Amino acid sequence: LIGVDKLVKKSICEHAISIGDYKPGQDETQNAKYLKRLLPIPGHENHFHIRVTCGPNNQDCQSITYKGYPVGC
């Protein structure tokens, strides 16, 4: 997962639409899967976070879910 500013996600969505990777209204399973990896998170105007997975011994790590985040554009 990549936590980004909402304007970054919007820009990437606009590009995906322009190249045909994303078609608004189409079933999300048929659209570009990489878009659901971009999570618009407030406070990320000048940086981003990449979460691959929580390490097995990292008890402070919290899993991120898609709940509440838009998965498409």
Side-chain angles (χ1 to χ4, degrees):
L1 302 177
I2 304 172
V4 298
D5 182 67
K6 66 182 177 182
L7 294 178
V8 171
K9 173 102 181 209
K10 181 178 184 236
S11 178
I12 293 173
C13 282
E14 289 170 354
H15 178 70
I17 291 168
S18 75
I19 64 171
D21 271 3
Y22 183 84
K23 296 178 179 80
Q26 186 172 350
D27 180 5
E28 291 298 328
T29 61
Q30 301 300 314
N31 279 314
K33 294 186 186 326
Y34 61 86
L35 293 173
K36 74 177 187 178
R37 303 280 184 227
L38 300 173
L39 302 180
I41 300 174
H44 289 76
E45 295 84 11
N46 62 359
H47 69 284
F48 60 90
H49 296 266
I50 297 176
R51 170 72 63 85
V52 178
T53 186
C54 290
N57 297 322
N58 187 345
Q59 296 182 12
D60 294 329
C61 184
Q62 298 176 3
S63 294
I64 298 174
T65 65
Y66 294 119
K67 186 176 183 179
Y69 293 107
V71 296
C73 290

